[in-house]
Amino acid sequence: KVKRNTKDRFSVEVPSLRRDVQEQVDLIEELARISGYDRIPQTLPRVTPQIRLNKTRELVSFIKGILLGLGLNEVITYSLVDSATLRAKGVQAQANAIEISNPLSKEQEILSPALIPGLLTALKNNLNHNITDLKLFEIGKNYLATKENSSLGIIMRGEKCQDWLRGAQQKIGFFDLKGALEAFLRKLGILNFK
């Protein structure tokens, strides 16, 4: 039985023998079957794509682009370290560092509270392979018991070519790192820094 409620609304009572018609989509299918599938116009459904931007990911990608443009190379290091490595790299494993209760190995017992151990390990591995001119950065997470932070670490070492005509070499120093950080901050639109 069909009863018109308003101009655009109907009430439909389904016979008890049609137990397969229980929801609105079942009723729409029945209407299409009775009136004929060939009478339904063939059109594609209108889909309005919506792009959802992850602001954090977009910012990290922008920062990586700036650092790559400044001549640095990205490294991705392990988040798990051992306490001896932290002490050797000068990072104190605070009481609130997160320890893994069942680590896979001795080298993976603590979630790293800083990026420095990983960057120094990357530096050491490169030096062991006679790669001495390095400008590295990492954007990663550091973990403490109360929170997880995103951090940026930069490490520079080696020589730079001071005079391209004469080929004079000069070691990378503090002012090179300072210059890279100033250029980085300017690209981010931060102009008031000391």
Side-chain angles (χ1 to χ4, degrees):
K1 293 179 184 177
V2 178
K3 178 183 172 188
R4 182 183 291 260
N5 293 343
T6 64
K7 181 178 152 186
D8 297 335
R9 292 191 176 269
F10 296 92
S11 292
V12 178
E13 185 179 323
V14 180
S16 60
L17 62 110
R18 291 298 307 270
R19 294 178 187 244
D20 59 322
V21 180
Q22 294 192 4
E23 296 183 25
Q24 190 176 16
V25 291
D26 299 327
L27 186 61
I28 293 168
E29 185 181 0
E30 277 302 302
L31 289 171
R33 186 183 64 79
I34 291 169
S35 63
Y37 289 116
D38 58 330
R39 294 180 64 194
I40 299 172
Q42 293 183 0
T43 59
L44 291 173
R46 184 175 180 196
V47 177
T48 307
Q50 295 180 356
I51 300 171
R52 295 183 182 179
L53 297 175
N54 183 330
K55 298 289 184 190
T56 304
R57 185 177 294 154
E58 192 176 292
L59 177 63
V60 168
S61 179
F62 181 67
I63 289 171
K64 285 181 181 181
I66 292 171
L67 294 169
L68 290 169
L70 291 171
L72 280 79
N73 294 307
E74 181 181 14
V75 294
I76 300 171
T77 62
Y78 293 115
S79 296
L80 295 168
V81 294
D82 63 312
S83 55
T85 299
L86 289 178
R87 282 192 302 278
K89 305 292 190 219
V91 177
Q92 297 299 320
Q94 296 104 336
N96 56 355
I98 300 172
E99 292 187 30
I100 306 299
S101 59
N102 190 13
L104 294 174
S105 70
K106 177 84 170 127
E107 293 81 27
Q108 300 177 338
E109 63 184 355
I110 296 176
L111 279 169
S112 184
L115 295 179
I116 302 241
L119 283 169
L120 290 175
T121 300
L123 176 67
K124 177 184 166 192
N125 291 338
N126 279 284
L127 291 175
N128 287 341
H129 289 91
N130 293 324
I131 302 170
T132 57
D133 299 330
L134 296 165
K135 296 178 183 177
L136 306 176
F137 77 91
E138 180 178 20
I139 297 175
K141 300 208 179 286
N142 51 10
Y143 305 90
L144 295 172
T146 55
K147 58 186 170 181
E148 170 184 310
N149 293 318
S150 292
S151 299
L152 167 64
I154 297 175
I155 193 166
M156 298 170 78
R157 187 226 184 265
E159 294 181 349
K160 61 180 179 175
C161 188
Q162 186 67 17
D163 186 348
W164 289 100
L165 294 173
R166 294 188 202 113
Q169 297 290 318
Q170 189 176 11
K171 292 201 180 291
I172 291 175
F174 169 77
F175 291 108
D176 298 299
L177 178 60
K178 181 180 180 244
L181 288 174
E182 287 175 355
F184 169 70
L185 292 172
R186 272 193 225 95
K187 293 270 187 184
L188 283 177
I190 301 170
L191 302 175
N192 297 328
F193 55 85
K194 293 182 181 185

